[in-house]
Amino acid sequence: TSITSAKIHVNGVHLHYQQTGEGSHAVLLLPGMLGSGQTDFGPQLKSMNKQLFTIVAWDPRGYGKSIPPARDFPPDFFERDAKDAVDLMQALKFKKFSLLGWSDGGITALIAAAKYPALIHKLVVWGANASVTQEDVRIYNGIRDVSKWSEKVKKPLEEMYGHKYFAKTCEAWVDGISRFAEKSDGNICQQLLPDIKCPTFIIHGEKDPLVPQAHAEYIHKQIKGSR
């Protein structure tokens, strides 16, 4: 039940991941904005059933220990993360696996499930959104300045990145995700949702300060048979 930590070369970068458990059902945990396996999924790595599952938590490129490269946010950064995530699991020799994605990791998981249906067993997303509204942009700008964050949320990220990288990357994220709102429908991955065929479970926190609940309801409506 120990947790191994390693790097593997995928799509031109060295991606860091943690792995534990020996179950036949492989699951990939996808962290949120600025997150890593360790900061976002400590409890899951420790407590998920290790007889049932083989659990992998990854650090997307530019996050956690998958630096270098520095994180950037080109228009296709979610698609790039989705391809990296799937290619990582294939490099680790998993033929089929489930995705558990939170926040940005949820968006990445939605895209991966739609684009690589033969590889994805089941899907769980929470705190995810498929589009960006002007109201969302207003909310994102409220977290642009990391010095205003609560100590509890800020501390682990500052410890991991150092203040400068953390502050700079957060600003770059706000700019990167806000760009989606410039499209008429604010679309990130709306058109892909009907392509998701695997069993899907959507979770949403009623008090989520960053992602209004309408996003979860929209995703549920668009993915046939989702719960």
Side-chain angles (χ1 to χ4, degrees):
T1 61
S2 66
I3 299 169
T4 59
S5 178
K7 282 189 165 184
I8 189 164
H9 193 256
V10 176
N11 298 330
V13 292
H14 290 93
L15 294 175
H16 176 262
Y17 68 96
Q18 291 163 287
Q19 186 173 330
T20 186
E22 58 262 300
S24 58
H25 188 159
V27 299
L28 175 65
L29 308 174
L30 299 96
M33 170 263 269
L34 282 164
S36 65
Q38 197 48 56
T39 53
D40 288 14
F41 296 115
Q44 286 80 4
L45 285 163
K46 197 169 140 224
S47 306
M48 274 179 79
N49 186 319
K50 299 189 181 187
Q51 277 68 55
L52 284 181
F53 300 110
T54 296
I55 303 137
V56 179
W58 80 310
D59 299 357
R61 60 170 76 199
Y63 284 164
K65 292 180 178 162
S66 295
I67 304 172
R71 181 71 182 185
D72 63 347
F73 299 93
D76 67 341
F77 74 90
F78 284 117
E79 280 84 2
R80 180 181 69 181
D81 283 348
K83 183 168 169 34
D84 281 350
V86 165
D87 291 351
L88 166 78
M89 291 300 275
Q90 293 203 289
L92 295 175
K93 303 283 185 270
F94 295 108
K95 288 187 173 57
K96 206 163 180 174
F97 44 92
S98 293
L99 301 173
L100 283 74
W102 125 255
S103 184
D104 274 14
I107 301 173
T108 302
L110 291 167
I111 293 169
K115 285 192 160 179
Y116 310 97
L119 303 174
I120 310 306
H121 183 43
K122 294 182 176 185
L123 174 65
V124 183
V125 296
W126 60 107
N129 49 304
S131 64
V132 177
T133 66
Q134 290 303 328
E135 169 63 7
D136 294 329
V137 172
R138 194 186 61 73
I139 297 171
Y140 300 150
N141 275 301
I143 66 157
R144 177 186 287 276
D145 179 358
V146 297
S147 68
K148 296 185 177 136
W149 288 28
S150 80
E151 210 40 55
K152 181 181 163 223
V153 181
K154 190 164 64 176
K155 196 169 174 242
L157 293 167
E158 255 179 356
E159 280 170 5
M160 181 187 307
Y161 294 119
H163 178 77
K164 197 174 152 202
Y165 187 90
F166 170 43
K168 195 179 86 189
T169 308
C170 182
E171 286 187 14
W173 176 83
V174 172
D175 292 338
I177 195 142
S178 297
R179 259 190 245 113
F180 291 102
E182 291 162 13
K183 304 180 193 173
S184 59
D185 51 0
N187 176 45
I188 301 176
C189 63
Q190 290 170 313
Q191 76 293 354
L192 291 174
L193 300 179
D195 296 341
I196 296 173
K197 303 291 185 245
C198 64
T200 300
F201 188 37
I202 299 149
I203 303 170
H204 202 78
E206 204 167 57
K207 296 177 181 166
D208 189 319
L210 212 56
V211 182
Q213 193 172 316
H215 284 298
E217 287 161 5
Y218 177 85
I219 293 168
H220 174 42
K221 264 218 268 318
Q222 298 298 314
I223 301 177
K224 212 176 152 196
S226 63
R227 292 192 293 146

PDB file of all heavy atoms in Angstrom, residues 196-223:
ATOM      1  N   ILE A 196     -19.672  11.695 -24.859  1.00  0.00           N
ATOM      2  CA  ILE A 196     -19.256  10.901 -23.691  1.00  0.00           C
ATOM      3  C   ILE A 196     -20.255   9.768 -23.480  1.00  0.00           C
ATOM      4  O   ILE A 196     -21.438   9.996 -23.263  1.00  0.00           O
ATOM      5  CB  ILE A 196     -19.150  11.790 -22.430  1.00  0.00           C
ATOM      6  CG1 ILE A 196     -18.045  12.834 -22.635  1.00  0.00           C
ATOM      7  CG2 ILE A 196     -18.868  10.932 -21.191  1.00  0.00           C
ATOM      8  CD1 ILE A 196     -17.948  13.878 -21.534  1.00  0.00           C
ATOM      9  N   LYS A 197     -19.771   8.542 -23.601  1.00  0.00           N
ATOM     10  CA  LYS A 197     -20.654   7.375 -23.546  1.00  0.00           C
ATOM     11  C   LYS A 197     -20.462   6.548 -22.277  1.00  0.00           C
ATOM     12  O   LYS A 197     -21.261   5.659 -21.988  1.00  0.00           O
ATOM     13  CB  LYS A 197     -20.402   6.468 -24.764  1.00  0.00           C
ATOM     14  CG  LYS A 197     -20.586   7.169 -26.119  1.00  0.00           C
ATOM     15  CD  LYS A 197     -22.041   7.526 -26.397  1.00  0.00           C
ATOM     16  CE  LYS A 197     -22.219   8.112 -27.795  1.00  0.00           C
ATOM     17  NZ  LYS A 197     -22.658   9.521 -27.774  1.00  0.00           N
ATOM     18  N   CYS A 198     -19.402   6.788 -21.529  1.00  0.00           N
ATOM     19  CA  CYS A 198     -19.153   5.949 -20.341  1.00  0.00           C
ATOM     20  C   CYS A 198     -20.043   6.406 -19.178  1.00  0.00           C
ATOM     21  O   CYS A 198     -20.524   7.541 -19.168  1.00  0.00           O
ATOM     22  CB  CYS A 198     -17.682   6.020 -19.949  1.00  0.00           C
ATOM     23  SG  CYS A 198     -17.129   7.657 -19.435  1.00  0.00           S
ATOM     24  N   PRO A 199     -20.275   5.533 -18.191  1.00  0.00           N
ATOM     25  CA  PRO A 199     -21.042   5.944 -17.011  1.00  0.00           C
ATOM     26  C   PRO A 199     -20.391   7.166 -16.359  1.00  0.00           C
ATOM     27  O   PRO A 199     -19.176   7.170 -16.132  1.00  0.00           O
ATOM     28  CB  PRO A 199     -20.962   4.727 -16.090  1.00  0.00           C
ATOM     29  CG  PRO A 199     -20.671   3.575 -16.991  1.00  0.00           C
ATOM     30  CD  PRO A 199     -19.828   4.129 -18.111  1.00  0.00           C
ATOM     31  N   THR A 200     -21.184   8.203 -16.113  1.00  0.00           N
ATOM     32  CA  THR A 200     -20.647   9.479 -15.628  1.00  0.00           C
ATOM     33  C   THR A 200     -21.393   9.936 -14.384  1.00  0.00           C
ATOM     34  O   THR A 200     -22.623   9.924 -14.349  1.00  0.00           O
ATOM     35  CB  THR A 200     -20.768  10.552 -16.736  1.00  0.00           C
ATOM     36  OG1 THR A 200     -20.034  10.120 -17.880  1.00  0.00           O
ATOM     37  CG2 THR A 200     -20.230  11.898 -16.262  1.00  0.00           C
ATOM     38  N   PHE A 201     -20.622  10.344 -13.387  1.00  0.00           N
ATOM     39  CA  PHE A 201     -21.182  10.839 -12.130  1.00  0.00           C
ATOM     40  C   PHE A 201     -20.679  12.266 -11.925  1.00  0.00           C
ATOM     41  O   PHE A 201     -19.475  12.515 -11.969  1.00  0.00           O
ATOM     42  CB  PHE A 201     -20.728   9.932 -10.984  1.00  0.00           C
ATOM     43  CG  PHE A 201     -21.378  10.207  -9.653  1.00  0.00           C
ATOM     44  CD1 PHE A 201     -22.714  10.586  -9.562  1.00  0.00           C
ATOM     45  CD2 PHE A 201     -20.656  10.054  -8.475  1.00  0.00           C
ATOM     46  CE1 PHE A 201     -23.312  10.821  -8.326  1.00  0.00           C
ATOM     47  CE2 PHE A 201     -21.242  10.284  -7.234  1.00  0.00           C
ATOM     48  CZ  PHE A 201     -22.577  10.674  -7.162  1.00  0.00           C
ATOM     49  N   ILE A 202     -21.619  13.208 -11.745  1.00  0.00           N
ATOM     50  CA  ILE A 202     -21.272  14.621 -11.592  1.00  0.00           C
ATOM     51  C   ILE A 202     -21.568  15.039 -10.163  1.00  0.00           C
ATOM     52  O   ILE A 202     -22.678  14.847  -9.663  1.00  0.00           O
ATOM     53  CB  ILE A 202     -22.083  15.482 -12.590  1.00  0.00           C
ATOM     54  CG1 ILE A 202     -21.760  15.062 -14.025  1.00  0.00           C
ATOM     55  CG2 ILE A 202     -21.802  16.969 -12.391  1.00  0.00           C
ATOM     56  CD1 ILE A 202     -22.919  15.234 -14.973  1.00  0.00           C
ATOM     57  N   ILE A 203     -20.571  15.629  -9.518  1.00  0.00           N
ATOM     58  CA  ILE A 203     -20.723  16.080  -8.135  1.00  0.00           C
ATOM     59  C   ILE A 203     -20.533  17.591  -8.124  1.00  0.00           C
ATOM     60  O   ILE A 203     -19.699  18.111  -8.876  1.00  0.00           O
ATOM     61  CB  ILE A 203     -19.661  15.418  -7.221  1.00  0.00           C
ATOM     62  CG1 ILE A 203     -19.750  13.891  -7.303  1.00  0.00           C
ATOM     63  CG2 ILE A 203     -19.794  15.883  -5.776  1.00  0.00           C
ATOM     64  CD1 ILE A 203     -18.601  13.163  -6.640  1.00  0.00           C
ATOM     65  N   HIS A 204     -21.310  18.289  -7.305  1.00  0.00           N
ATOM     66  CA  HIS A 204     -21.077  19.735  -7.212  1.00  0.00           C
ATOM     67  C   HIS A 204     -21.321  20.237  -5.798  1.00  0.00           C
ATOM     68  O   HIS A 204     -22.301  19.846  -5.160  1.00  0.00           O
ATOM     69  CB  HIS A 204     -21.967  20.500  -8.195  1.00  0.00           C
ATOM     70  CG  HIS A 204     -21.408  21.853  -8.513  1.00  0.00           C
ATOM     71  ND1 HIS A 204     -20.372  22.039  -9.396  1.00  0.00           N
ATOM     72  CD2 HIS A 204     -21.698  23.084  -8.018  1.00  0.00           C
ATOM     73  CE1 HIS A 204     -20.054  23.325  -9.455  1.00  0.00           C
ATOM     74  NE2 HIS A 204     -20.844  23.983  -8.619  1.00  0.00           N
ATOM     75  N   GLY A 205     -20.423  21.085  -5.322  1.00  0.00           N
ATOM     76  CA  GLY A 205     -20.579  21.689  -3.996  1.00  0.00           C
ATOM     77  C   GLY A 205     -21.527  22.876  -4.086  1.00  0.00           C
ATOM     78  O   GLY A 205     -21.329  23.781  -4.891  1.00  0.00           O
ATOM     79  N   GLU A 206     -22.562  22.849  -3.268  1.00  0.00           N
ATOM     80  CA  GLU A 206     -23.552  23.924  -3.284  1.00  0.00           C
ATOM     81  C   GLU A 206     -22.914  25.282  -2.998  1.00  0.00           C
ATOM     82  O   GLU A 206     -23.364  26.311  -3.483  1.00  0.00           O
ATOM     83  CB  GLU A 206     -24.604  23.617  -2.218  1.00  0.00           C
ATOM     84  CG  GLU A 206     -25.941  24.261  -2.469  1.00  0.00           C
ATOM     85  CD  GLU A 206     -27.019  23.682  -1.564  1.00  0.00           C
ATOM     86  OE1 GLU A 206     -26.856  23.735  -0.329  1.00  0.00           O
ATOM     87  OE2 GLU A 206     -28.014  23.156  -2.093  1.00  0.00           O
ATOM     88  N   LYS A 207     -21.844  25.275  -2.192  1.00  0.00           N
ATOM     89  CA  LYS A 207     -21.205  26.538  -1.809  1.00  0.00           C
ATOM     90  C   LYS A 207     -19.919  26.793  -2.599  1.00  0.00           C
ATOM     91  O   LYS A 207     -19.090  27.598  -2.196  1.00  0.00           O
ATOM     92  CB  LYS A 207     -20.884  26.523  -0.309  1.00  0.00           C
ATOM     93  CG  LYS A 207     -22.133  26.440   0.563  1.00  0.00           C
ATOM     94  CD  LYS A 207     -21.776  26.356   2.029  1.00  0.00           C
ATOM     95  CE  LYS A 207     -23.044  26.239   2.870  1.00  0.00           C
ATOM     96  NZ  LYS A 207     -22.731  25.832   4.254  1.00  0.00           N
ATOM     97  N   ASP A 208     -19.726  26.089  -3.710  1.00  0.00           N
ATOM     98  CA  ASP A 208     -18.525  26.291  -4.528  1.00  0.00           C
ATOM     99  C   ASP A 208     -18.392  27.774  -4.881  1.00  0.00           C
ATOM    100  O   ASP A 208     -19.252  28.337  -5.554  1.00  0.00           O
ATOM    101  CB  ASP A 208     -18.634  25.451  -5.808  1.00  0.00           C
ATOM    102  CG  ASP A 208     -17.332  25.435  -6.609  1.00  0.00           C
ATOM    103  OD1 ASP A 208     -16.694  26.493  -6.717  1.00  0.00           O
ATOM    104  OD2 ASP A 208     -16.969  24.364  -7.128  1.00  0.00           O
ATOM    105  N   PRO A 209     -17.326  28.439  -4.421  1.00  0.00           N
ATOM    106  CA  PRO A 209     -17.214  29.882  -4.638  1.00  0.00           C
ATOM    107  C   PRO A 209     -16.753  30.257  -6.050  1.00  0.00           C
ATOM    108  O   PRO A 209     -16.855  31.402  -6.456  1.00  0.00           O
ATOM    109  CB  PRO A 209     -16.155  30.310  -3.613  1.00  0.00           C
ATOM    110  CG  PRO A 209     -15.307  29.098  -3.420  1.00  0.00           C
ATOM    111  CD  PRO A 209     -16.211  27.906  -3.615  1.00  0.00           C
ATOM    112  N   LEU A 210     -16.243  29.269  -6.782  1.00  0.00           N
ATOM    113  CA  LEU A 210     -15.622  29.567  -8.077  1.00  0.00           C
ATOM    114  C   LEU A 210     -16.473  29.127  -9.268  1.00  0.00           C
ATOM    115  O   LEU A 210     -16.401  29.710 -10.337  1.00  0.00           O
ATOM    116  CB  LEU A 210     -14.246  28.878  -8.133  1.00  0.00           C
ATOM    117  CG  LEU A 210     -13.149  29.577  -8.934  1.00  0.00           C
ATOM    118  CD1 LEU A 210     -12.923  31.002  -8.449  1.00  0.00           C
ATOM    119  CD2 LEU A 210     -11.855  28.786  -8.854  1.00  0.00           C
ATOM    120  N   VAL A 211     -17.276  28.056  -9.070  1.00  0.00           N
ATOM    121  CA  VAL A 211     -18.039  27.490 -10.186  1.00  0.00           C
ATOM    122  C   VAL A 211     -19.523  27.413  -9.818  1.00  0.00           C
ATOM    123  O   VAL A 211     -19.926  26.556  -9.032  1.00  0.00           O
ATOM    124  CB  VAL A 211     -17.512  26.077 -10.553  1.00  0.00           C
ATOM    125  CG1 VAL A 211     -18.268  25.507 -11.755  1.00  0.00           C
ATOM    126  CG2 VAL A 211     -16.014  26.114 -10.852  1.00  0.00           C
ATOM    127  N   PRO A 212     -20.346  28.319 -10.370  1.00  0.00           N
ATOM    128  CA  PRO A 212     -21.782  28.277 -10.067  1.00  0.00           C
ATOM    129  C   PRO A 212     -22.415  26.940 -10.480  1.00  0.00           C
ATOM    130  O   PRO A 212     -21.969  26.292 -11.429  1.00  0.00           O
ATOM    131  CB  PRO A 212     -22.347  29.425 -10.913  1.00  0.00           C
ATOM    132  CG  PRO A 212     -21.192  30.371 -11.098  1.00  0.00           C
ATOM    133  CD  PRO A 212     -19.977  29.483 -11.186  1.00  0.00           C
ATOM    134  N   GLN A 213     -23.454  26.556  -9.752  1.00  0.00           N
ATOM    135  CA  GLN A 213     -24.060  25.229  -9.907  1.00  0.00           C
ATOM    136  C   GLN A 213     -24.657  24.980 -11.293  1.00  0.00           C
ATOM    137  O   GLN A 213     -24.763  23.839 -11.738  1.00  0.00           O
ATOM    138  CB  GLN A 213     -25.149  25.045  -8.847  1.00  0.00           C
ATOM    139  CG  GLN A 213     -25.624  23.609  -8.724  1.00  0.00           C
ATOM    140  CD  GLN A 213     -26.558  23.421  -7.536  1.00  0.00           C
ATOM    141  OE1 GLN A 213     -26.281  23.930  -6.455  1.00  0.00           O
ATOM    142  NE2 GLN A 213     -27.636  22.716  -7.743  1.00  0.00           N
ATOM    143  N   ALA A 214     -25.060  26.051 -11.977  1.00  0.00           N
ATOM    144  CA  ALA A 214     -25.643  25.889 -13.323  1.00  0.00           C
ATOM    145  C   ALA A 214     -24.704  25.115 -14.250  1.00  0.00           C
ATOM    146  O   ALA A 214     -25.158  24.401 -15.148  1.00  0.00           O
ATOM    147  CB  ALA A 214     -25.966  27.260 -13.916  1.00  0.00           C
ATOM    148  N   HIS A 215     -23.395  25.237 -14.029  1.00  0.00           N
ATOM    149  CA  HIS A 215     -22.434  24.513 -14.868  1.00  0.00           C
ATOM    150  C   HIS A 215     -22.605  22.999 -14.721  1.00  0.00           C
ATOM    151  O   HIS A 215     -22.615  22.273 -15.715  1.00  0.00           O
ATOM    152  CB  HIS A 215     -21.001  24.916 -14.504  1.00  0.00           C
ATOM    153  CG  HIS A 215     -20.600  26.264 -15.018  1.00  0.00           C
ATOM    154  ND1 HIS A 215     -20.553  26.566 -16.363  1.00  0.00           N
ATOM    155  CD2 HIS A 215     -20.230  27.399 -14.371  1.00  0.00           C
ATOM    156  CE1 HIS A 215     -20.155  27.821 -16.520  1.00  0.00           C
ATOM    157  NE2 HIS A 215     -19.957  28.354 -15.328  1.00  0.00           N
ATOM    158  N   ALA A 216     -22.755  22.552 -13.476  1.00  0.00           N
ATOM    159  CA  ALA A 216     -22.918  21.109 -13.230  1.00  0.00           C
ATOM    160  C   ALA A 216     -24.225  20.614 -13.850  1.00  0.00           C
ATOM    161  O   ALA A 216     -24.280  19.527 -14.442  1.00  0.00           O
ATOM    162  CB  ALA A 216     -22.905  20.828 -11.731  1.00  0.00           C
ATOM    163  N   GLU A 217     -25.275  21.427 -13.733  1.00  0.00           N
ATOM    164  CA  GLU A 217     -26.572  21.028 -14.290  1.00  0.00           C
ATOM    165  C   GLU A 217     -26.510  20.933 -15.815  1.00  0.00           C
ATOM    166  O   GLU A 217     -27.093  20.024 -16.408  1.00  0.00           O
ATOM    167  CB  GLU A 217     -27.656  22.019 -13.827  1.00  0.00           C
ATOM    168  CG  GLU A 217     -27.991  21.837 -12.354  1.00  0.00           C
ATOM    169  CD  GLU A 217     -28.688  23.032 -11.721  1.00  0.00           C
ATOM    170  OE1 GLU A 217     -29.012  24.007 -12.452  1.00  0.00           O
ATOM    171  OE2 GLU A 217     -28.906  23.006 -10.493  1.00  0.00           O
ATOM    172  N   TYR A 218     -25.786  21.855 -16.420  1.00  0.00           N
ATOM    173  CA  TYR A 218     -25.624  21.827 -17.881  1.00  0.00           C
ATOM    174  C   TYR A 218     -24.887  20.548 -18.316  1.00  0.00           C
ATOM    175  O   TYR A 218     -25.318  19.857 -19.255  1.00  0.00           O
ATOM    176  CB  TYR A 218     -24.851  23.070 -18.354  1.00  0.00           C
ATOM    177  CG  TYR A 218     -24.594  23.061 -19.844  1.00  0.00           C
ATOM    178  CD1 TYR A 218     -25.552  23.549 -20.737  1.00  0.00           C
ATOM    179  CD2 TYR A 218     -23.411  22.532 -20.371  1.00  0.00           C
ATOM    180  CE1 TYR A 218     -25.326  23.520 -22.112  1.00  0.00           C
ATOM    181  CE2 TYR A 218     -23.181  22.502 -21.736  1.00  0.00           C
ATOM    182  CZ  TYR A 218     -24.143  22.993 -22.606  1.00  0.00           C
ATOM    183  OH  TYR A 218     -23.923  22.955 -23.964  1.00  0.00           O
ATOM    184  N   ILE A 219     -23.809  20.234 -17.635  1.00  0.00           N
ATOM    185  CA  ILE A 219     -23.033  19.025 -17.983  1.00  0.00           C
ATOM    186  C   ILE A 219     -23.915  17.779 -17.855  1.00  0.00           C
ATOM    187  O   ILE A 219     -23.919  16.905 -18.725  1.00  0.00           O
ATOM    188  CB  ILE A 219     -21.767  18.920 -17.094  1.00  0.00           C
ATOM    189  CG1 ILE A 219     -20.792  20.067 -17.419  1.00  0.00           C
ATOM    190  CG2 ILE A 219     -21.064  17.576 -17.290  1.00  0.00           C
ATOM    191  CD1 ILE A 219     -19.649  20.219 -16.410  1.00  0.00           C
ATOM    192  N   HIS A 220     -24.679  17.725 -16.782  1.00  0.00           N
ATOM    193  CA  HIS A 220     -25.583  16.591 -16.545  1.00  0.00           C
ATOM    194  C   HIS A 220     -26.594  16.449 -17.686  1.00  0.00           C
ATOM    195  O   HIS A 220     -26.854  15.349 -18.183  1.00  0.00           O
ATOM    196  CB  HIS A 220     -26.290  16.802 -15.204  1.00  0.00           C
ATOM    197  CG  HIS A 220     -27.350  15.791 -14.900  1.00  0.00           C
ATOM    198  ND1 HIS A 220     -27.200  14.436 -15.155  1.00  0.00           N
ATOM    199  CD2 HIS A 220     -28.579  15.923 -14.345  1.00  0.00           C
ATOM    200  CE1 HIS A 220     -28.295  13.794 -14.772  1.00  0.00           C
ATOM    201  NE2 HIS A 220     -29.150  14.670 -14.293  1.00  0.00           N
ATOM    202  N   LYS A 221     -27.157  17.567 -18.118  1.00  0.00           N
ATOM    203  CA  LYS A 221     -28.145  17.550 -19.214  1.00  0.00           C
ATOM    204  C   LYS A 221     -27.541  17.053 -20.521  1.00  0.00           C
ATOM    205  O   LYS A 221     -28.206  16.376 -21.301  1.00  0.00           O
ATOM    206  CB  LYS A 221     -28.685  18.976 -19.439  1.00  0.00           C
ATOM    207  CG  LYS A 221     -30.013  19.249 -18.721  1.00  0.00           C
ATOM    208  CD  LYS A 221     -30.948  20.121 -19.549  1.00  0.00           C
ATOM    209  CE  LYS A 221     -30.862  21.608 -19.319  1.00  0.00           C
ATOM    210  NZ  LYS A 221     -30.741  22.165 -18.001  1.00  0.00           N
ATOM    211  N   GLN A 222     -26.291  17.392 -20.762  1.00  0.00           N
ATOM    212  CA  GLN A 222     -25.671  17.110 -22.061  1.00  0.00           C
ATOM    213  C   GLN A 222     -25.078  15.695 -22.158  1.00  0.00           C
ATOM    214  O   GLN A 222     -24.847  15.205 -23.245  1.00  0.00           O
ATOM    215  CB  GLN A 222     -24.555  18.122 -22.356  1.00  0.00           C
ATOM    216  CG  GLN A 222     -25.041  19.562 -22.461  1.00  0.00           C
ATOM    217  CD  GLN A 222     -26.026  19.772 -23.607  1.00  0.00           C
ATOM    218  OE1 GLN A 222     -25.787  19.308 -24.719  1.00  0.00           O
ATOM    219  NE2 GLN A 222     -27.118  20.448 -23.340  1.00  0.00           N
ATOM    220  N   ILE A 223     -24.778  15.071 -21.005  1.00  0.00           N
ATOM    221  CA  ILE A 223     -24.198  13.710 -21.038  1.00  0.00           C
ATOM    222  C   ILE A 223     -25.307  12.720 -20.746  1.00  0.00           C
ATOM    223  O   ILE A 223     -25.818  12.621 -19.639  1.00  0.00           O
ATOM    224  CB  ILE A 223     -23.055  13.557 -20.008  1.00  0.00           C
ATOM    225  CG1 ILE A 223     -21.950  14.574 -20.293  1.00  0.00           C
ATOM    226  CG2 ILE A 223     -22.493  12.119 -20.070  1.00  0.00           C
ATOM    227  CD1 ILE A 223     -20.822  14.543 -19.276  1.00  0.00           C
TER     228      ILE A 223
END
